[in-house]
Amino acid sequence: MTEAAAAPQTERKKIIFSAIQPTGVFTLGNYIGAVRNWGKLQEDYNCLYCVADLHAITVRQEPAALRKRTLEAYALLMACGIDPERSILFIQSHNPHHTGMSWVLNCFTQFGELSRMTQFKDKSARYANDVNAGLFTYPVLMATDILLYQTDYVPVGEDQRQHLEITRDIAGRFNGVYGPTLTLPEPFIPKAEQGARIMSLQDPTKKMSKSDPNPKAFISILDEPGVILKKFRSAVTDSEARVACAPGKEGINNLMGIYSVLTGKDFAAIEEEFAGRGYGDFKTAVGEAVVQELAPVQARYKELMADKGYLEECYRRGAQQAMALSRRTIEKVYRRVGFLQP
């Protein structure tokens, strides 16, 4: 056996894709539940991360504000630990392959499938004056985002599982007609982390959301330290005044989850730490842990936003890398369906 033949084959790193819309500054929920973990994946996976500005326009946007938020979202992803030297970090609209392949996949998606999508129903009710075709078909664009890069894994929360399922259905249908072409992605489920789902500070039965009309309900990752502490001190809890995880204590359970994720302490250790102490001490401790966690993110974000030239260099390079990778897929798809090659 030759030396070359004896050498072990290096296994290809699996591909992970994820995206976030530029609809405002990320909340603490976005950060803990998703973005904070994306940077950790760069060591073991080939990662692609994208600012999904095409998805944002299913709801009417003010153009200048959208451009501003897109750049801010890009800088925030970098500030949260995504390194454009180790991952492909790009802006969705900068790669025309997303819209080019989306039309083909529209033709492999059933009307009934789209009409059953939960988010379409929710957004149709919320934006009743603008139920546009993009709102109806955006799951196909989302599927395209994933399938363009032959993605192996997609980090998903419970509210995104339906989108991954329809993505797999579309890819399977295409492959069934034309043979193996598109990789069927799997959900990426990180190790269970208490507090990964962050709830509203004012209504802990609801997920924390930047669209909440009550600004006290969510923490923006760019909130000033004093604002963060004030919001936590006004967080809804209960009348028991005992720091313990139990049914009916949704507010305290939520705060314990946040504290657990940021300090690495389990719930039993947190209960012991705050035994005999009131909610005031606990709320302050949670707020201080959040302030400490977000301080380097906020500092890095300010540095990046002060250097627009560097950001432009990064997103232009990211677009080139994304197009180079997705070109192989879209050319194969176009050839399979019978388009004459240019």
Side-chain angles (χ1 to χ4, degrees), residues 273-302:
E273 179 183 356
F274 291 94
R277 298 166 65 182
Y279 284 168
D281 284 353
F282 181 53
K283 289 180 180 181
T284 297
V286 179
E288 288 174 346
V290 171
V291 168
Q292 183 177 350
E293 173 75 18
L294 295 182
V297 174
Q298 294 178 354
R300 179 58 177 152
Y301 172 77
K302 289 176 183 176

Side-chain angles (χ1 to χ4, degrees), residues 183-197:
T183 299
L184 270 63
E186 300 284 347
F188 181 84
I189 310 295
K191 291 179 181 177
E193 201 173 42
Q194 287 178 314
R197 184 175 173 85

Side-chain angles (χ1 to χ4, degrees), residues 16-124:
I16 279 184
F17 176 91
S18 199
I20 194 163
Q21 288 194 41
T23 50
V25 176
F26 308 158
T27 68
L28 181 66
N30 299 136
Y31 176 73
I32 289 178
V35 179
R36 179 175 182 258
N37 300 313
W38 290 359
K40 300 174 185 177
L41 300 174
Q42 297 172 121
E43 194 67 40
D44 299 319
Y45 300 91
N46 287 328
C47 298
L48 293 102
Y49 298 118
C50 137
V51 179
D53 54 342
L54 292 173
H55 286 290
I57 66 168
T58 58
V59 176
R60 197 74 65 236
Q61 304 286 331
E62 200 284 308
L66 178 59
R67 282 189 285 271
K68 178 175 181 290
R69 287 196 302 267
T70 299
L71 188 65
E72 289 171 347
Y74 191 91
L76 272 173
L77 289 175
M78 291 176 65
C80 289
I82 295 175
D83 183 353
E85 299 294 332
R86 300 166 68 200
S87 298
I88 297 177
L89 178 58
F90 67 105
I91 295 168
Q92 185 186 28
S93 64
H94 291 183
N95 182 358
H97 296 160
H98 286 256
T99 49
M101 195 166 97
S102 183
W103 172 252
V104 175
L105 296 187
N106 263 309
C107 299
F108 287 83
T109 308
Q110 302 301 304
F111 186 92
E113 290 175 313
L114 294 175
S115 64
R116 289 191 292 271
M117 298 298 290
T118 302
Q119 287 196 15
F120 171 69
K121 296 175 184 176
D122 293 345
K123 287 194 172 184
S124 295

